[in-house]
Structure formats: structure tokens, C-alpha cells
Amino acid sequence: MARAVELAAAARRIASPNPWVGCVIVADGDVVGEGATAPPGGPHAEVSALAEAGAQARGATCYVTLEPCSHHGRTPPCADALVDAGVGRVVAALVDPDPRVGGGGLERLRARGVGAEVGLLAGAVEEQLAPYLKHRRTGRPFVVLKLATTLDGRTAAPDGSSRWITGEAARRDAHELRADSDAVLVGAGTVRADDPLLTVRTGDPGVDGEEPPSRQPLRQPLRVVLGRAPATARVHPAVELSGDLGEVLDELGRRDVLQLLVEGGAHVAHDLHAAGLVDRYVFYLAPALFGGDDARPAFAGPGAPSMEELWRGQLRAVTVLGADLRVDLDPAGRARGPRRPPVG
């Protein structure tokens, strides 16, 4: 199953809005087939692993990170493919919360005489598939709020300048975070102030030009603006939304956005935080201080009025990125898998 988790990770940026799943087929103690989810319309992990295993799949054990599907979508049910191949046992990490599956895949396997178990490495896969699971359980994307600040919590100078607070390693990592996301959202004020592209750039992250075709990622995230962006803004083409933030998230969920990366500004960050709509906070902290109260804060709006009402989360990871730190923070009580180990 650990190998299946590795295979799933490699499919993270091509599988969405499908779950990124890994599968390993073992016969007589040997791995005979491996697979991961292909881009939408392509084979699922189980089908790819079965194709590699061939006749050796008969009587074998299939380890898969998510319950095999039991419905016809773009492809036939994986549960049926496993039965037809003669697999003797299926071990899944998680039950698929998609209402079209929801345990039906495991039931179909058992009804056809295939042993089916669930729960192995469940915590690791819950973490890996958190955006997919949130979307299928609630209809909304997994919201990641990203903030680059000085150690005294400031995101820009009093004159509005903010480039660059963090160094190249942190900026490069932030583009990896964009690449993992289906959509990137900013407020219209940020568009007017910074005129961002909001694209994934694999070259120099400090250069705001478009990537040459040879370096462009497989996909670019959907660009979303809260409010109206100027017609000449570089963020276009973008989806422009407004109104209740919960309804905004519902709309993005309907557009198959599994992970939403929020990059500002301070009012948007405050409103999402205050409404309890953030699933993960990612802070890039630079060893720098503005040293006063006139620089621009990470959050703009009323905060906790007393120590008793102070928001407290759970540290998930602290990573050294050049001279900067990346701090991953979850709301208290959110289920977590194994932590990313610190680096440095």
C-alpha cells in the first residue's frame, strides 16, 4: 500500500477532478502490476495495473488507495474489471465517499466472491486525497490560504510594494502549491494593485511573463477574481464571482474545483478565516521585519476580541526553504495523516 500511495502522488496533477489513486497487484509475494489514475477519460489505476499484470492477476491481491468504482462514468467500473481478471483479494485504504460509489464497489466485489478489506494506511491516504474527499463530502473545494509575510506579520510596505518579501526558494515552492491546485483566487483589489498573472511558472518564479511552451505545466489553474477585474488585467481570462463566500465555494465546487488556493488580499483572507472556510493555512515567513504598525497586515478586519477567543490551530509542518520558512497550519480538530518531516 505504501507503494500505491507513491504512485498516486505522481498522478496528483493530472487526475483531477478524478481522485489520484495508486494500485499495486501482488502475486505470490511479487509485484506483478502497478498503475495510477490517468487524465480524465483515461484508465483508472486498477485497470492500468491489471493490464501490466496480465494473467498473473488471477488469484492475486490488489492494493489500492481508494475503493474501486462501481459505476459507469467515462470508463467502466473498476470493480467489474477486477472480478473479470480473477483477482482474489482487494485491500483498499479508504471507502470512496462519492455518492455513486459509497461502499458499492466493495459490496460488488464481495458479492462476486472477491475478498475485500478497507483501512490499511487510511490516515496517509486521507491526507493525500483531502481535496477530493472534501469535495465529494461537501460539494465544496478544499481551501488553502497562502500568505507570504515578514516575521511581524506584514505583507507589504506602507506604499503598497511587496516584491519580494520571500526568496526564490519560497517563491518556487509557492508555484508548486499553485500547480497542485485546480483554481487560484484573489480579490479584485489585489488585481488592481499588483496585476498578477496567477499562472504556474516553472522557470524563474520572480518573472511575471508567460512560460515558453517547452516549460509550461500540463495544466494551468482556473483563475478566479472576487469582484470585477479591470478589462485590461493580465489575470484574464478569469472567472469573476461575488456575493456570499459559501455560495462562491459552492459554485467553484460545481465547476469541479477540488483544491482552491487563495492568494489575497488581506480582506479576502480575513473574511474566509472569520467564516471558518479555510482548510489549510500556508505561511511563507521571511526573516525580515517592517518594525512598525504602518505596513500592511496579513488580515484586514476585526480579529479576536480577547485571549479566550484567540484562534488556535495545529502545526502540520515546518519546512526550511532557503532563508525562509514554510509553516503549514490546520484548523484545530481537522483529521490529519502523517506530518511532512521538517527539512534543514
Side-chain angles (χ1 to χ4, degrees):
M1 188 65 80
R3 173 58 181 159
V5 172
E6 291 179 359
L7 293 167
R12 172 70 178 85
R13 296 177 183 175
I14 63 171
S16 183
N18 292 331
W20 36 103
V21 175
C23 179
V24 175
I25 296 175
V26 177
D28 298 322
D30 295 323
V31 173
V32 296
E34 294 185 341
T37 311
H44 291 186
E46 300 94 323
V47 172
S48 293
L50 288 171
E52 186 175 294
Q56 296 179 92
R58 186 161 298 279
T61 297
C62 168
Y63 294 88
V64 62
T65 55
L66 189 68
E67 172 188 12
C69 63
S70 55
H71 64 287
H72 281 271
R74 291 187 178 98
T75 59
C78 291
D80 290 353
L82 291 164
V83 170
D84 294 343
V87 168
R89 176 170 165 253
V90 173
V91 179
L94 297 177
V95 172
D96 189 343
D98 189 309
R100 297 170 296 180
V101 187
L106 297 173
E107 291 175 5
R108 183 173 296 195
L109 290 168
R110 291 168 182 146
R112 300 284 293 276
V114 179
E117 305 167 22
V118 67
L120 183 62
L121 292 189
V125 178
E126 279 271 359
E127 179 64 26
Q128 184 179 66
L129 280 177
Y132 170 80
L133 299 173
K134 166 82 179 295
H135 182 267
R136 292 305 192 269
R137 289 166 178 164
T138 70
R140 292 179 174 181
F142 185 89
V143 178
V144 179
L145 176 59
K146 187 214 86 175
L147 296 163
T149 79
T150 58
L151 284 181
D152 50 355
R154 302 291 167 161
T155 61
D159 65 1
S161 59
S162 61
R163 297 183 179 181
W164 297 100
I165 286 178
T166 56
E168 183 175 335
R171 298 198 301 272
R172 208 174 286 282
D173 188 78
H175 277 268
E176 296 295 327
L177 192 56
R178 275 188 190 175
D180 280 341
S181 302
D182 301 287
V184 180
L185 179 148
V186 296
T190 296
V191 174
R192 290 190 293 271
D194 298 338
D195 197 19
L197 276 170
L198 299 186
T199 55
V200 177
R201 296 187 294 280
T202 57
D204 182 352
V207 176
D208 282 345
E210 295 285 4
E211 288 281 83
S214 62
R215 291 161 96 177
Q216 287 178 359
L218 291 174
R219 63 164 190 165
Q220 288 287 355
L222 179 71
R223 294 180 280 187
V224 183
V225 178
L226 274 183
R228 299 286 294 181
T232 57
R234 297 189 303 166
V235 74
H236 290 301
V239 174
E240 296 171 312
L241 300 172
S242 59
D244 177 81
L245 288 174
E247 293 177 2
V248 168
L249 295 181
D250 290 337
E251 173 59 25
L252 292 175
R254 287 190 289 269
R255 292 173 181 257
D256 284 334
V257 174
L258 304 190
Q259 178 165 302
L260 173 66
L261 178 62
V262 179
E263 295 202 16
H267 289 284
V268 173
H270 170 271
D271 292 349
L272 284 166
H273 170 76
L277 296 175
V278 179
D279 296 293
R280 176 157 300 153
Y281 300 76
V282 176
F283 286 86
Y284 292 97
L285 302 179
L289 301 170
F290 278 107
D293 60 5
D294 54 348
R296 299 189 180 183
F299 298 92
S306 67
M307 286 302 296
E308 288 71 23
E309 297 179 67
L310 185 68
W311 185 94
R312 293 186 184 275
Q314 294 177 320
L315 281 175
R316 178 175 172 269
V318 178
T319 309
V320 177
L321 296 169
D324 306 311
L325 291 180
R326 169 175 165 164
V327 177
D328 288 35
L329 183 68
D330 286 348
R334 198 183 81 76
R336 298 184 302 171
R339 294 185 182 183
R340 244 173 64 180
V343 175

